[in-house]
Amino acid sequence: MPNPEQHRRSLVSATTIFHRTGKLTPDAIAKFEAGNVTRLVAVEIHHNDRSGRIIEQLENYLPALQDHAFALRYRTGDLKPPFVLSVFDEAGALKATKARFLEHPELSKAKGGFLFASLQAVRKSIVADWHYADNKPAPIFRNWER
């Protein structure tokens, strides 16, 4: 009988991205077109209020973004780096994570690639209410808004 643990080690999620320092597995990856621009988005849904853990999770995106690992994985050619869409079900966690994000020396440099929204807002409309860590609106889906 095969060893189930060995079998599990060989399984890789369809969203796993490998890069020079390891790998990351977003909750989802999507490709879309808006205004003649094609983009990938990586989606992270945060179901807890531990902003420190969430920041660690977002830090893991930095080497993958620097290595163009998403473009290599999905063979997108000269496609721009993906946006990382962080969705929060806890308002306090959203606020605390954005504050820590802006204080982080490396994440704050990449703030244009990370967008935030509450789960409540995304349930109403996935195209509206995205914003950057500094609360400025991020019109990523502006051509799809009604």
Side-chain angles (χ1 to χ4, degrees), residues 44 46 53-62 84 86 88 97 101 107 114 116:
E44 288 293 344
H46 309 291
R53 171 65 187 108
I54 294 168
I55 288 296
E56 288 175 8
Q57 189 177 23
L58 297 179
E59 281 176 319
N60 288 330
Y61 277 87
L62 294 174
V84 178
S86 286
F88 292 76
T97 300
F101 185 98
L107 285 172
F114 290 81
F116 300 86

Side-chain angles (χ1 to χ4, degrees), residues 21-39:
T21 63
K23 65 180 181 176
L24 67 102
T25 305
D27 292 323
I29 296 176
K31 182 178 174 181
F32 69 92
E33 281 188 34
N36 297 324
V37 175
T38 301
R39 292 299 295 255

Side-chain angles (χ1 to χ4, degrees), residues 12-137:
V12 176
S13 172
T15 62
T16 296
I17 302 293
F18 294 91
H19 53 83
R20 66 184 142 80
T21 63
K23 65 180 181 176
L24 67 102
T25 305
D27 292 323
I29 296 176
K31 182 178 174 181
F32 69 92
E33 281 188 34
N36 297 324
V37 175
T38 301
R39 292 299 295 255
L40 284 174
V41 293
V43 180
E44 288 293 344
I45 301 174
H46 309 291
H47 292 294
N48 65 56
D49 60 355
R50 294 178 34 215
S51 62
R53 171 65 187 108
I54 294 168
I55 288 296
E56 288 175 8
Q57 189 177 23
L58 297 179
E59 281 176 319
N60 288 330
Y61 277 87
L62 294 174
L65 295 172
Q66 292 164 350
D67 292 352
H68 306 286
F70 285 87
L72 294 171
R73 167 74 169 82
Y74 289 96
R75 295 179 178 92
T76 56
D78 62 352
L79 196 66
K80 293 180 180 180
F83 284 109
V84 178
L85 306 181
S86 286
V87 181
F88 292 76
D89 66 356
E90 301 276 341
L94 173 58
K95 183 177 180 178
T97 300
K98 290 190 303 183
R100 289 180 88 152
F101 185 98
L102 291 171
E103 293 170 357
H104 191 284
E106 297 302 317
L107 285 172
S108 63
K109 292 177 190 173
K111 67 183 177 184
F114 290 81
L115 308 181
F116 300 86
S118 70
L119 183 57
Q120 182 180 12
V122 170
R123 282 182 175 156
K124 278 185 182 177
S125 171
I126 195 164
V127 300
D129 294 326
W130 290 101
H131 54 278
Y132 298 102
D134 60 6
N135 291 323
K136 291 182 182 173

